[in-house]
Amino acid sequence: LNRRLTLTAASLLVGLALAGCGKQEPAAPAAASAPPPAAAPRVLVVGTDAAYTPFESQNEKGEVVGFDIDVVKAIALKAGIEVKFVNTPWEGIFNTLELGDRDLLVSAITITPERRQTMDFSQPYFEARQLIAVKSDSTVAKFDDIKKLKVGVQNGTTGDEVVGKLLGKSSTDIKRFESTPLALKELEAGGVQAVVADNGVVAHYLANNPGGGFKTVSDAGFSTEQYGIAVKKGNAELLAKIDKGLADIKADGTYAKIYASHFGAESK
Ligand code: ARG
């Protein structure tokens, strides 16, 4: 009896299936009418030049850490997106967006009109300005004073840009390094007499290298810079999620907590 029932049920199912097929478009494969499988959300790849403490660096375990990283992790949590961070050399970092190798860039990137032509930026998440590092016994008191000196910068940064304006872009007195720490090491070694880079990084480096014999010189002529998170030009959907997440972490105090944990409670 059982077996007969099973057979009956089976033939009934086949019958139903055939009847169902009959109603479909003749050439449509069965899968086309099925709802798409719930695809696992793709992990977004975030590129960062992790030689920029306290914004991004690599710890002893090889993990990418820093203020920028915490900000993007918090945004991702709010936005319901998954991210992973990949150390990416500054040189060529913007191309990785174009190539699709990276979905996002967070790297203390200053939003500039030139960069806006080739990529899109989130709302600003951090304010910075240039700062000059010189040896403690240097007579440099303002930006103009470095005009006759050998100056170290990180290649292709806003520091490179302002120094290029002062000394002339092709001046042989500009020494361009692939990272800001390398430029600062060269200052210590005496190969350059000044380094111009973002204030947060210069100040952090000096505080952590008390033996380096450096001091900083600020200049009111430097304009304020705004850091933004970059996406491929036209990726409005992702940008909207990032901006929403950023607004959310600013509104609920998460941003302030992250800020305090990296820069202390004092406001900049
Ligand atoms: N804010 C500067 C710029 O956008 C320097 C950024 C360098 N960032 C880094 N992670 N190396 O040009």
Side-chain angles (χ1 to χ4, degrees):
L1 180 74
N2 264 347
R3 193 154 167 252
R4 256 177 56 204
L5 275 178
T6 310
L7 281 173
T8 313
S11 42
L12 195 68
L13 280 174
V14 169
L16 281 172
L18 286 174
C21 280
K23 279 181 207 132
Q24 287 179 6
E25 296 294 321
S33 61
R42 194 165 70 83
V43 178
L44 299 181
V45 183
V46 187
T48 185
D49 173 28
Y52 219 61
T53 323
F55 296 94
E56 43 265 339
S57 58
Q58 252 177 322
N59 67 14
E60 318 76 49
K61 289 186 231 154
E63 300 156 336
V64 180
V65 295
F67 173 78
D68 281 357
I69 310 310
D70 289 347
V71 167
V72 170
K73 279 184 179 167
I75 290 173
L77 207 63
K78 294 278 184 201
I81 55 179
E82 253 190 273
V83 289
K84 73 165 183 199
F85 296 87
V86 177
N87 194 2
T88 307
W90 181 255
E91 176 101 60
I93 197 169
F94 299 132
N95 283 336
T96 64
L97 277 185
E98 196 65 45
L99 295 168
D101 291 343
R102 308 284 183 270
D103 300 290
L104 292 165
L105 300 178
V106 70
S107 207
I109 302 169
T110 301
I111 303 170
T112 69
E114 302 79 53
R115 289 173 182 166
R116 270 194 198 284
Q117 290 175 10
T118 53
M119 66 199 94
D120 287 335
F121 284 100
S122 68
Q123 290 299 311
Y125 69 89
F126 193 85
E127 195 176 287
R129 55 173 67 230
Q130 295 302 303
L131 186 61
I132 307 160
V134 289
K135 282 283 180 82
S136 307
D137 58 2
S138 168
T139 56
V140 168
K142 56 183 186 309
F143 185 43
D144 209 57
D145 294 342
I146 70 166
K147 225 169 178 168
K148 303 244 149 55
L149 305 179
K150 287 206 184 315
V151 185
V153 295
Q154 184 177 6
N155 192 17
T157 58
T158 44
D160 186 356
E161 204 180 306
V162 295
V163 171
K165 272 186 192 137
L166 185 71
L167 274 71
K169 232 181 146 94
S170 46
S171 164
T172 52
D173 284 335
I174 305 175
K175 304 286 171 217
R176 296 184 169 93
F177 296 86
E178 66 186 62
S179 80
T180 295
L182 282 177
L184 288 159
K185 286 214 179 75
E186 191 64 7
L187 177 63
E188 197 170 341
V192 294
Q193 286 96 51
V195 166
V196 180
D198 293 9
N199 55 348
V201 172
V202 171
H204 187 276
Y205 189 91
L206 265 64
N208 287 277
N209 291 273
F214 299 133
K215 65 178 179 189
T216 58
V217 177
S218 48
D219 190 303
F222 289 133
S223 47
T224 50
E225 301 182 19
Q226 302 289 344
Y227 292 169
I229 299 161
V231 301
K232 186 175 182 165
K233 193 149 194 63
N235 194 349
E237 193 188 332
L238 181 56
L239 198 59
K241 284 184 190 168
I242 299 299
D243 276 338
K244 169 84 167 58
L246 179 59
D248 286 351
I249 66 164
K250 280 186 176 170
D252 76 357
T254 306
Y255 179 93
K257 264 194 210 128
I258 295 171
Y259 186 95
S261 79
H262 289 276
F263 301 105
E266 86 278 4
S267 60
K268 51 180 192 299

